[in-house]
Amino acid sequence: MATLFEGFTLCGLVQTPRASDSAIQGIELDGDSDHAVVTDSTRAVTLYKVSDQKPLGSWTVKQGQLLTCPAVFNFQTKEYVVVSDNKVIRVWKEEDLNLDKAFKATVSADVWRVHSAPGGEPVVLFQRGAVRLLDSLLSVPQQPIEDILSEEEEDIRWSTNIMAEKQHFVLFTTEQRGEHFLYVQRLNPNTLQKYRLESEDSGASPLSFSASLRDKHINLLYLYPNGCVYQSVVAVQGPVGLEGVQALPRSLRLRLPVGEGELGAASAVALDEAHVAVVGMPHPSARTGKDFLCIWNTNFQTLQAGKEMVGRIRGQVWCYLGKLFVPHGKALSVIPYECQKSSLASALGKLRHPGIAVSKSSVAIPSWNTLLHGDQPQGPTKIVDTRKSKLRRKSQSAPALTVDQVLELIKTGPVEEVRKEVEALVSRGDAQDLQLSVGRLACHLVARSQVETAFYAPVALARLVQTQCLCHSMCPDLLLLALEHKDYFLCQLCLQLFPDIPEGVTCACLKTFIGVPDGDVEMVSLEPDSVSFMEGLVAAGARGGQQNGFSPPLFEDSCDPHHQPKPPQHQDKKNPTLQLEVCPVGLHKAVLLNEVLQTPYSDNLLVPHLKDLNAPQVILFLQYLQFIYLKYSQDVYTQTPVLRSPTMTQIIDWVCLLLDAHFTVLVMAPDAKGLLSNLQSFVKSQVKLFSELGKIEGSLQELHKMKPSKDISQYSIEVIELF
């Protein structure tokens, strides 16, 4: 499986006059994995801190000068290197303010690219194919540069460098009269191999190249306009010194569904041995005219994740440390991703989640037992066989509809008929391309529901989500549609199974759940484990108990040395712990709030959306978080691992997020004064506890170092002195 998480904008883009021009020449990392060096299409190089989306430095050349290749970071000298006007190499440090005053040298031939990699010296690739180490070139800038590309019509189209087993490789592709070649330049010792790439019958040129190192082989991945993604392999320790041009075999790794036309500005990059990210292609389940960033599984030819990219796509994508950098429209977006180990079950969306079993049988009503646990009525084997034989005879008498036929039925068919056909299609084990079909079915169901207010198929939508072949990016309007129809069963299912829900949608769910009356959700069928967890938590709290390490410390100002305890009779009247015996929200509302707590999010993106909550909603949510946190702290109830429940860390994180987003409002709200005071007292008691633990930390470490006495009988008393 693969997941695309909610992205963020790193910076705006310089608009170019020609549509064919790229807004960014390149993106490189420097010595800090959280830093990105961005070179625009004109005159500027900017260093960004990715996690904060803040520029740390910017350098520009004079008006009339142009940067002609992306800036790179020299990992050996901790300097930046860029080329302006094809021949002027500039070197500077981060603390340098003026690029024009930095070191510069003019070389004798036009430069194509400067490449750098950790563990190696930067190399300079010239437009005619020659390669030089940066230091040796700067020592004699005007040294003669030979022409590797003898033919004037042969031009470089793409290049990169790779470090493999302490060996430095420079790779670049060229085009000559419709033919494409790959050059592999080894450094120290210097050897050059030339390979001819196989050509397409249409004569089309590759749209993009990317290279990666796996198992001592260089894997070259290239994408054609017809959607074919090929891979060629070059051995790192292969034969050297071969004369002439060698044929380079290729294998088809992926055939993308491009629709009726061909891809224009598109690019593909390998994420690992089984996943490829492609930007600039249409989504199989979306309307035409939209470009997406998609992750495909090349082993099983399945779409794993997709995200619409608003604005014009320039066919550029960079991949660094679990993040994809994609320029589109007027912005450069950073989209985190995650690729899990490839298996047939995960590729088809049938990988079972921990504690959730997937049933292949169709369902007639939206019951969690049948959807998630596959519960079937118990009875004699003969009854089960009879039911199977009836289903078999029914399937033989009525031919099953294809995906396209079901899509046509969704446009005009009644809800019940649509439900039956969707369930039949999903339940069939021989249904092809289930990963693509589920997204198309969901989008068509949602689209009709938005147009026809009287049409809504909750069971069919729940069945599609239950296949786990669906994610939020494939059908962005599904969860919002469920909120609109107050389908809390489907909302919970989406929150559990969608790994890529945007923070804005998460807050919309939170706002709806907090505002819904308790009576409206008490009769809704929800996932049994989550309901059982809350029932046990509330029941355990009703029996009372002593808190871990406190008796009870929650509202005692125990850190204040001048604090005087209140008389016992006064504590009995106003001890706030008595108010915690009752959950501030209804049981089923608490279940839905727990699903929000367990939804993945980014702090920076979530806090702005939390500010949309009003003060009463924030206070109620904080009261619930305080309630559930105190129950976790009690010895009377222990969490059951198999039940769906938020963790202690998730609860604390949400308390911090709410306080960050609404601290000023809460301070000014009279109703929140007691709540904030309770939270402050609890923090003080926790600080004191950890302070006391810190005092004995050294003694405890000494106990581990002590050697046990060998003269120990069956009963003995040993005195240990701690100083």
Side-chain angles (χ1 to χ4, degrees):
M1 290 292 290
T3 304
L4 287 172
F5 299 102
E6 184 69 13
F8 53 88
T9 299
L10 183 62
C11 62
L13 298 180
V14 177
Q15 299 302 306
T16 56
R18 293 185 300 173
S20 59
D21 290 344
S22 299
I24 289 180
Q25 293 195 56
I27 300 174
E28 300 282 343
L29 297 186
D30 67 2
D32 191 325
S33 60
D34 195 29
H35 291 177
V37 184
V38 180
T39 307
D40 67 21
S41 60
T42 55
R43 303 186 300 123
V45 177
T46 307
L47 176 65
Y48 289 95
K49 185 175 182 181
V50 178
S51 58
D52 295 339
Q53 301 97 58
K54 293 181 179 179
L56 302 178
S58 182
W59 303 269
T60 59
V61 294
K62 290 182 178 181
Q63 188 73 28
Q65 298 175 337
L66 290 177
L67 299 179
T68 51
C69 86
V72 299
F73 183 73
N74 188 336
F75 292 90
Q76 294 183 340
T77 63
K78 311 302 180 184
E79 296 174 321
Y80 300 95
V81 183
V82 76
V83 178
S84 62
D85 300 323
N86 295 315
K87 292 185 178 181
V88 181
I89 299 178
R90 301 171 183 262
V91 181
W92 77 98
K93 293 183 178 293
E94 184 176 348
E95 56 267 21
D96 295 336
L97 301 179
N98 193 333
L99 188 60
D100 193 57
K101 294 182 180 180
F103 172 84
K104 55 185 175 181
T106 302
V107 295
S108 60
D110 290 346
V111 175
W112 166 260
R113 288 288 186 274
V114 179
H115 291 291
S116 181
E121 181 183 342
V123 295
V124 180
L125 173 63
F126 290 88
Q127 290 189 6
R128 301 310 303 165
V131 175
R132 292 288 189 276
L133 293 173
L134 179 63
D135 285 349
S136 63
L137 178 63
L138 294 181
S139 62
V140 187
Q142 288 297 313
Q143 61 182 273
I145 304 299
E146 70 277 10
D147 288 349
I148 301 299
L149 309 181
S150 57
E151 297 288 342
E152 290 294 334
E153 298 179 1
E154 187 176 6
D155 298 313
I156 298 179
R157 299 304 183 195
W158 168 86
S159 65
T160 188
N161 71 323
I162 289 179
M163 293 294 297
E165 298 181 345
K166 298 182 180 181
Q167 179 74 53
H168 205 156
F169 293 84
V170 177
L171 285 73
F172 59 94
T173 63
T174 64
E175 182 178 1
Q176 179 185 11
R177 292 191 290 270
E179 288 189 305
H180 296 270
F181 302 91
L182 170 67
Y183 289 80
V184 179
Q185 172 76 61
R186 291 175 172 87
L187 303 178
N188 297 326
N190 292 330
T191 60
L192 179 65
Q193 295 295 138
K194 182 178 180 180
Y195 300 90
R196 176 182 286 104
L197 302 181
E198 294 185 29
S199 302
E200 289 287 273
D201 294 337
S202 62
S205 299
L207 295 176
S208 71
F209 292 90
S210 71
S212 59
L213 180 68
R214 290 196 304 270
D215 299 328
K216 299 181 180 181
H217 288 80
I218 298 174
N219 295 269
L220 182 68
L221 197 77
Y222 39 108
L223 168 67
Y224 279 92
N226 59 5
C228 292
V229 179
Y230 293 99
Q231 177 179 282
S232 297
V233 179
V234 178
V236 172
Q237 298 179 346
V240 297
L242 296 179
E243 297 294 335
V245 181
Q246 308 297 317
L248 185 62
R250 68 181 185 182
S251 60
L252 181 63
R253 296 292 294 160
L254 185 65
R255 188 182 297 273
L256 300 172
V258 299
E260 298 179 356
E262 290 187 337
L263 297 177
S267 183
V269 58
L271 305 181
D272 59 21
E273 65 275 6
H275 295 91
V276 172
V278 183
V279 68
M281 65 165 293
H283 195 286
S285 303
R287 296 184 296 271
T288 58
K290 295 184 178 182
D291 291 317
F292 281 76
L293 170 66
C294 298
I295 296 181
W296 288 80
N297 187 304
T298 57
N299 289 345
F300 306 108
Q301 306 287 303
T302 56
L303 175 65
Q304 299 289 285
K307 185 178 183 64
E308 181 181 354
M309 308 306 295
V310 180
R312 181 166 64 91
I313 293 293
R314 296 171 171 83
Q316 294 175 299
V317 59
W318 290 266
C319 175
Y320 295 111
L321 302 177
K323 298 181 180 66
L324 293 170
F325 295 77
V326 182
H328 62 101
K330 298 181 180 180
L332 171 62
S333 292
V334 181
I335 304 171
Y337 72 91
E338 181 180 5
C339 294
Q340 300 175 0
K341 186 177 180 180
S342 176
S343 65
L344 181 59
S346 63
L348 295 177
K350 296 179 177 291
L351 185 63
R352 298 187 177 188
H353 287 210
I356 299 179
V358 181
S359 170
K360 292 185 179 180
S361 60
S362 61
V363 295
I365 58 175
S367 169
W368 273 101
N369 289 330
T370 54
L371 276 179
L372 294 182
H373 299 286
D375 293 347
Q376 297 293 338
Q378 301 297 323
T381 306
K382 181 182 294 185
I383 297 178
V384 177
D385 292 339
T386 303
R387 180 178 302 162
K388 290 182 178 180
S389 62
K390 289 181 179 180
L391 291 175
R392 189 180 299 112
R393 289 196 300 269
K394 182 178 179 180
S395 63
Q396 291 175 354
S397 59
L401 298 183
T402 64
V403 175
D404 293 335
Q405 290 173 332
V406 175
L407 292 175
E408 288 298 322
L409 177 63
I410 291 175
K411 295 179 181 179
T412 57
V415 173
E416 184 62 22
E417 186 176 356
V418 169
R419 177 192 66 81
K420 292 181 179 179
E421 295 300 334
V422 169
E423 289 183 350
L425 181 63
V426 172
S427 300
R428 288 201 305 271
D430 58 347
Q432 296 181 356
D433 297 332
L434 185 62
Q435 177 77 27
L436 303 179
S437 304
V438 167
R440 296 172 63 191
L441 292 170
C443 290
H444 279 70
L445 285 171
V446 171
R448 183 180 174 186
S449 300
Q450 292 174 331
V451 176
E452 301 179 25
T453 56
F455 179 87
Y456 183 64
V459 182
L461 290 172
R463 191 74 174 107
L464 294 175
V465 175
Q466 180 263 343
T467 63
Q468 302 183 38
C469 296
L470 196 62
C471 60
H472 182 273
S473 57
M474 294 178 66
C475 191
D477 297 328
L478 174 57
L479 187 49
L480 296 177
L481 179 68
L483 288 175
E484 180 183 346
H485 286 266
K486 299 180 180 180
D487 189 352
Y488 303 116
F489 167 78
L490 182 58
C491 289
Q492 185 188 25
L493 189 61
C494 293
L495 290 172
Q496 288 186 358
L497 300 181
F498 285 1
D500 58 343
I501 299 177
E503 283 75 1
V505 178
T506 300
C507 284
C509 293
L510 174 61
K511 191 172 184 179
T512 301
F513 296 160
I514 294 177
V516 64
D518 291 339
D520 291 356
V521 293
E522 289 306 312
M523 301 304 295
V524 177
S525 174
L526 297 178
E527 193 264 325
D529 282 352
S530 57
V531 176
S532 298
F533 163 75
M534 282 307 303
E535 289 176 344
L537 190 68
V538 174
R543 295 191 293 269
Q546 181 179 0
Q547 295 179 352
N548 294 330
F550 309 96
S551 181
L554 176 60
F555 305 112
E556 293 180 6
D557 201 357
S558 55
C559 287
D560 189 354
H562 305 291
H563 172 70
Q564 297 295 330
K566 297 179 181 179
Q569 63 271 17
H570 184 67
Q571 290 182 354
D572 290 339
K573 291 181 180 180
K574 293 189 177 181
N575 189 351
T577 57
L578 298 178
Q579 302 175 7
L580 298 174
E581 301 300 337
V582 179
C583 182
V585 299
L587 182 66
H588 280 204
K589 180 186 287 190
V591 171
L592 295 176
L593 292 177
N594 289 346
E595 297 298 344
V596 175
L597 297 180
Q598 299 173 76
T599 303
Y601 63 86
S602 169
D603 295 5
N604 295 334
L605 299 175
L606 183 61
V607 170
H609 294 288
L610 287 176
K611 295 181 180 180
D612 294 336
L613 300 175
N614 56 39
Q617 292 172 333
V618 175
I619 293 174
L620 179 61
F621 194 28
L622 280 174
Q623 289 173 343
Y624 172 70
L625 293 174
Q626 176 183 272
F627 166 82
I628 191 174
Y629 185 85
L630 291 179
K631 298 309 176 187
Y632 274 33
S633 303
Q634 292 177 343
D635 291 333
V636 296
Y637 184 75
T638 304
Q639 285 180 267
T640 305
V642 297
L643 299 180
R644 280 191 56 82
S645 59
T647 64
M648 184 78 80
T649 302
Q650 289 171 334
I651 297 170
I652 295 175
D653 289 344
W654 272 91
V655 172
C656 297
L657 290 170
L658 287 172
L659 293 178
D660 288 343
H662 292 276
F663 184 76
T664 304
V665 175
L666 292 172
V667 170
M668 301 298 293
D671 297 341
K673 183 176 180 181
L675 178 63
L676 293 178
S677 178
N678 295 342
L679 293 174
Q680 181 191 29
S681 299
F682 177 72
V683 171
K684 285 184 177 181
S685 65
Q686 293 289 322
V687 170
K688 183 177 181 181
L689 172 65
F690 282 99
S691 177
E692 296 297 330
L693 292 175
K695 293 178 181 179
I696 65 173
E697 181 182 5
S699 301
L700 295 176
Q701 291 177 352
E702 291 299 324
L703 290 177
H704 286 289
K705 298 179 181 179
M706 294 179 60
K707 297 182 179 180
S709 176
K710 297 181 180 179
D711 300 330
I712 298 179
S713 58
Q714 293 182 353
Y715 176 78
S716 65
I717 297 176
E718 186 176 358
V719 179
I720 301 175
E721 295 182 2
L722 299 177
F723 298 96

